[in-house]
């Protein structure tokens, strides 16, 4: 439509080459996009090829785009359940407890987090592995009922969960959550976050370091038939209900089952974020 070679259009649309800002303005203008859209797109596109770029925690557009397009997602969480596996009640209680989101905005944030989980229900869903530290399972978020429901929800995802036992000590404890998004025809992107910022890493050494962390966790995390390495609460511990204890034990021991194929893996509704 601009007299461009079809190969040029394809390479730009798939991110294989970096288009000039003039090309972008011409292309989007020809597509009928308004000036405000073009300016916003240019602001984001300038960051797209940076080795490291940072966004505020409330801007989840880039995270959502990466999750929805990735062929493979690997994550590690030490203090909370991954966002893609959280129940609505758990997510609400967690956001309320953190106190970083205005009360009148919590409902919208929780709804958006639940909508992101739709990728796990797609026929072509990404291949996922969630490394969850035992501390995240032990940490009480909300009421006992909220925790019991959250652990039961995880039981529908045991084929993609690897638990990192507290018995592994410092070897299984990392300073923050990590996510690695991988694509068949694109370079992978590593990600970490805090209450202050979200960091996206496209730098090759940084991505390799993230892969080495997950390789380390793969060797460390519990495998099928290893519940003896895990020491959950005793059902008589103060404040811990019997059903919550049983759900946690089942979450570990059910790892012995076979991994389900992606086309028929059982999931229920529902990155670190």
């Amino acid at each position: 439509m601009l007299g461009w070679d079809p190969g040029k259009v394809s390479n730009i649309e798939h991110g294989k080459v970096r288009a000039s800002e003039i090309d972008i303005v011409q292309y989007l203008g020809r597509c009928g996009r308004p000036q405000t859209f073009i300016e916003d797109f240019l602001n984001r596109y300038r960051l797209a090829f940076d080795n490291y770029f940072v966004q505020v925690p409330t801007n989840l557009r880039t995270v959502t785009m990466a999750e929805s397009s990735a062929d493979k997602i690997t994550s590690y969480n030490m203090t909370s359940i991954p966002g893609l596996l959280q129940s609505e009640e758990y997510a609400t209680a967690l956001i309320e407890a953190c106190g970083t989101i205005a009360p009148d905005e919590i409902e919208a944030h929780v709804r958006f987090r639940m909508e992101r989980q739709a990728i796990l229900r797609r026929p072509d869903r990404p291949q996922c592995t969630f490394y969850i530290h035992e501390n995240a399972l032990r940490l009480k978020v909300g009421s006992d009922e909220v925790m019991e429901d959250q652990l039961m929800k995880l039981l529908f995802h045991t084929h993609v969960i690897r638990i990192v036992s507290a018995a592994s000590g410092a070897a299984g404890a990392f300073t923050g959550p990590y996510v690695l998004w991988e694509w068949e025809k694109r370079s992978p992107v590593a990600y970490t976050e805090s209450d202050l910022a979200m960091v996206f890493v496209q730098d090759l050494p940084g991505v390799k370091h993230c892969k080495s962390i997950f390789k380390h966790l793969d060797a460390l995390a519990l495998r099928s038939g290893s519940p003896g390495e895990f020491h959950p609460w005793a059902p008589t511990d103060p404040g811990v209900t019997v059903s919550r204890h049983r759900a946690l034990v089942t979450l570990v021991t059910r790892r012995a089952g076979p991994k389900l194929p992606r086309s028929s893996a059982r999931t229920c509704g529902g990155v670190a974020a």
Side-chain angles (χ1 to χ4, degrees), residues 145-173:
E145 290 75 16
V146 168
M147 286 303 301
E148 289 169 13
D149 289 344
Q150 176 61 75
L151 292 174
M152 292 302 295
K153 179 182 177 73
L154 293 181
L155 293 180
F156 289 97
H157 297 277
T158 53
H159 56 288
V160 294
I161 292 174
R162 297 284 305 281
I163 296 176
V164 181
S165 172
S168 63

Side-chain angles (χ1 to χ4, degrees), residues 79-81 86-98 135-151 233 238-241 244:
T79 59
S80 63
I81 305 301
Q86 291 177 7
S87 68
E88 184 173 347
E89 294 75 16
Y90 180 96
T92 301
L94 183 64
I95 294 175
E96 288 177 345
C98 291
N135 288 354
L137 302 176
R138 289 180 178 272
L139 182 67
K140 183 179 179 180
V141 176
S143 65
D144 285 328
E145 290 75 16
V146 168
M147 286 303 301
E148 289 169 13
D149 289 344
Q150 176 61 75
L151 292 174
W233 306 280
V240 179
T241 63
R244 183 176 166 191

Side-chain angles (χ1 to χ4, degrees), residues 40-254:
D40 179 63
F41 184 88
L42 284 172
N43 288 333
R44 290 184 285 114
Y45 191 78
R46 292 185 185 107
L47 301 174
F49 292 86
D50 290 351
N51 286 332
Y52 292 82
F53 67 92
V54 180
Q55 291 184 339
V56 295
T58 54
N59 182 0
L60 295 175
R61 179 183 297 175
T62 305
V63 169
T64 305
M65 291 176 62
E67 288 176 343
S68 61
S69 63
D71 295 307
K72 184 178 180 181
I73 300 176
T74 309
S75 75
Y76 165 82
N77 292 75
M78 181 174 179
T79 59
S80 63
I81 305 301
L84 289 176
L85 299 180
Q86 291 177 7
S87 68
E88 184 173 347
E89 294 75 16
Y90 180 96
T92 301
L94 183 64
I95 294 175
E96 288 177 345
C98 291
T100 56
I101 303 296
D104 60 342
E105 297 178 359
I106 292 178
E107 182 179 353
H109 276 74
V110 172
R111 182 171 62 253
F112 184 68
R113 186 168 298 185
M114 297 301 104
E115 291 173 351
R116 285 167 49 205
Q117 296 177 1
I119 67 169
L120 300 182
R121 300 190 293 271
R122 291 183 343 211
D124 61 340
R125 56 186 165 274
Q127 177 185 344
C128 296
T129 303
F130 299 97
Y131 291 95
I132 305 177
H133 197 280
E134 180 183 340
N135 288 354
L137 302 176
R138 289 180 178 272
L139 182 67
K140 183 179 179 180
V141 176
S143 65
D144 285 328
E145 290 75 16
V146 168
M147 286 303 301
E148 289 169 13
D149 289 344
Q150 176 61 75
L151 292 174
M152 292 302 295
K153 179 182 177 73
L154 293 181
L155 293 180
F156 289 97
H157 297 277
T158 53
H159 56 288
V160 294
I161 292 174
R162 297 284 305 281
I163 296 176
V164 181
S165 172
S168 63
F174 291 92
T175 55
Y178 295 100
V179 181
L180 182 66
W181 295 299
E182 297 179 83
W183 293 266
E184 183 178 349
K185 297 182 179 180
R186 285 178 50 191
S187 299
V189 175
Y191 168 86
T192 187
E193 67 178 20
S194 70
D195 292 333
L196 301 178
M198 304 185 300
V199 181
F200 299 82
V201 181
Q202 301 182 101
D203 177 56
L204 183 57
V207 170
K208 283 185 175 180
H209 180 63
C210 186
K211 287 184 175 181
S212 71
I213 290 175
F214 286 124
K215 183 178 180 180
H216 173 78
L217 288 170
D218 180 58
L220 190 68
L222 297 182
R223 295 184 179 276
S224 22
S226 59
E229 302 173 36
F230 188 74
H231 305 284
W233 306 280
T236 55
D237 285 351
V240 179
T241 63
V242 173
S243 57
R244 183 176 166 191
H245 169 77
R246 288 175 177 170
L248 183 58
V249 174
T250 304
L251 179 61
V252 179
T253 57
R254 278 186 60 172

